[in-house]
Amino acid sequence: MINILILGLVLSLVITVLFGIKRQKRVLINKQLTGVNSIININDLVKLLQKHRGLSAALCSGDDSVVRELGQLVNNIRSLISKLNKLPNMNYSGRWLSFNDHWSRLSQHQKGISADNSFKQHTNIIANILYLLEDVAEQHSLTKEYLADFVNIGFLWRELLAIIESVGQSRAVGTRTVTIKYCSSVDKIKLKFLQQHISVVSEEVLKTLLDNSQQRKFVDLVEQSLTSTHCLTTTITNDILDVDKIVIDRTVYFELATDTMEKLNQVFSYQVEQLQQSLQK
């Protein structure tokens, strides 16, 4: 009788422990999925801010044809900010509060602001949001310690987005130079640095992300990204840095840089989709 009672207690304890472990795992997965959703929205904001920076560079350089598109961008950013404000803990984040304060001033494009000042402010505000994205990833256990099948996940949140941001910066600086048909010594230094960073690091980061993936679609996306980054860096050299007279059209350059960013963002989106599917199994 005593043995049966002891066995019953042991079984009850085992069931309780197993139930607790299962519940903890479910809580963790829900937290991670919430984090992934937040990251998707934050990265959407980054993409809009990067485009705003690029078009602002054109406007500051005298191209008034972008005014309407900039106005629409501001509206889109406003809508996304409203959506992000509703995400868990966002309004308690110092980075998010700092962004809202900075953007409220930067979005009111003032006549006479220099292209250099505009670039610096946009780049600072984007850096802040990228740090916020990393914070969200850590807060929601979206790191390799919790994701055994995604050991290179840190490259997704940091290095890959850093490459995309370098392309975004080259889009803004390059747009300014091709708009005014002149590349200053300062802009040449910036473009050369960005070009080298994109050339060297993009290949390293993309190949690292490929390490644990045998999927043909992902391989294709990575190869397309490498081709696009090579085309952009070659264009920067041949049409801006190594010419006496810049003749490449502003729209052509802007769209080339934008296409490169989109290709890299497709790599990011695919990896995020794979992560979501893994968590939902």
Side-chain angles (χ1 to χ4, degrees):
M1 185 69 179
I2 294 176
N3 289 339
I4 293 174
L5 181 61
I6 293 174
L7 180 61
L9 289 172
V10 170
L11 286 173
S12 177
L13 179 61
V14 169
I15 290 170
T16 300
V17 170
L18 291 175
F19 178 79
I21 292 173
K22 187 175 181 180
R23 182 178 179 280
Q24 286 180 343
K25 186 176 181 180
R26 187 169 63 249
V27 169
L28 174 62
I29 289 174
N30 287 337
K31 181 172 78 169
Q32 289 173 321
L33 286 169
T34 297
V36 171
N37 181 61
S38 298
I39 283 172
I40 290 171
N41 284 289
I42 292 170
N43 192 49
D44 284 343
L45 176 61
V46 170
K47 289 185 282 187
L48 291 179
L49 292 170
Q50 288 168 330
K51 188 172 183 179
H52 191 276
R53 174 179 56 196
L55 291 176
S56 293
L59 181 62
C60 290
S61 302
D63 186 351
D64 292 334
S65 68
V66 300
V67 170
R68 179 174 294 182
E69 192 173 358
L70 270 171
Q72 184 58 55
L73 258 180
V74 170
N75 290 334
N76 293 343
I77 291 171
R78 185 182 299 118
S79 297
L80 189 50
I81 289 172
S82 178
K83 184 178 180 180
L84 283 163
N85 278 328
K86 297 174 185 176
L87 293 179
N89 302 319
M90 285 296 281
N91 288 310
Y92 297 98
S93 165
R95 294 193 193 280
W96 182 242
L97 295 174
S98 173
F99 161 76
N100 275 296
D101 176 60
H102 195 172
W103 175 248
S104 67
R105 289 176 277 113
L106 184 58
S107 60
Q108 304 299 318
H109 185 91
Q110 297 179 2
K111 204 75 173 177
I113 184 173
S114 71
D116 188 54
N117 187 11
S118 175
F119 175 82
K120 286 178 180 177
Q121 288 200 57
H122 277 92
T123 300
N124 287 339
I125 208 172
I126 290 168
N128 184 41
I129 292 297
L130 287 173
Y131 284 131
L132 172 65
L133 188 149
E134 280 191 64
D135 290 345
V136 169
E138 290 186 9
Q139 292 162 4
H140 290 81
S141 303
L142 294 168
T143 59
K144 64 179 181 180
E145 290 80 11
Y146 297 92
L147 299 167
D149 294 332
F150 294 86
V151 293
N152 294 320
I153 194 70
F155 278 81
L156 195 66
W157 309 141
R158 291 186 301 273
E159 282 82 357
L160 180 58
L161 291 179
I163 287 296
I164 297 172
E165 169 57 4
S166 287
V167 176
Q169 289 182 31
S170 73
R171 179 174 65 180
V173 178
T175 294
R176 177 169 69 207
T177 63
V178 300
T179 299
I180 63 176
K181 306 300 181 186
Y182 171 74
C183 190
S184 69
S185 58
V186 173
D187 284 342
K188 279 187 177 180
I189 292 171
K190 287 180 181 177
L191 278 174
K192 190 170 184 179
F193 170 79
L194 290 167
Q195 180 224 41
Q196 291 175 343
H197 182 249
I198 295 164
S199 296
V200 176
V201 183
S202 61
E203 186 169 346
E204 177 185 338
V205 170
L206 290 169
K207 288 185 175 179
T208 299
L209 290 174
L210 271 180
D211 283 348
N212 289 336
S213 178
Q214 304 298 322
Q215 297 188 13
R216 185 67 243 176
K217 182 179 178 181
F218 187 62
V219 173
D220 289 342
L221 289 173
V222 169
E223 289 177 349
Q224 290 168 18
S225 295
L226 288 170
T227 299
S228 193
T229 53
H230 177 71
C231 182
L232 175 64
T233 54
T234 300
T235 298
I236 290 173
T237 298
N238 295 342
D239 293 289
I240 300 178
L241 296 178
D242 291 350
V243 293
D244 295 326
K245 183 179 180 181
I246 297 173
V247 296
I248 185 172
D249 183 73
R250 192 274 297 174
T251 303
V252 171
Y253 179 80
F254 189 90
E255 289 180 354
L256 173 60
T258 299
D259 180 68
T260 303
M261 295 177 75
E262 288 176 354
K263 291 287 194 305
L264 289 164
N265 270 307
Q266 285 172 12
V267 173
F268 179 86
S269 296
Y270 185 84
Q271 283 286 85
V272 170
E273 287 172 13
Q274 294 299 108
L275 175 57
Q276 283 180 307
Q277 290 174 15
S278 176
L279 292 172
Q280 290 168 347
K281 285 181 180 178

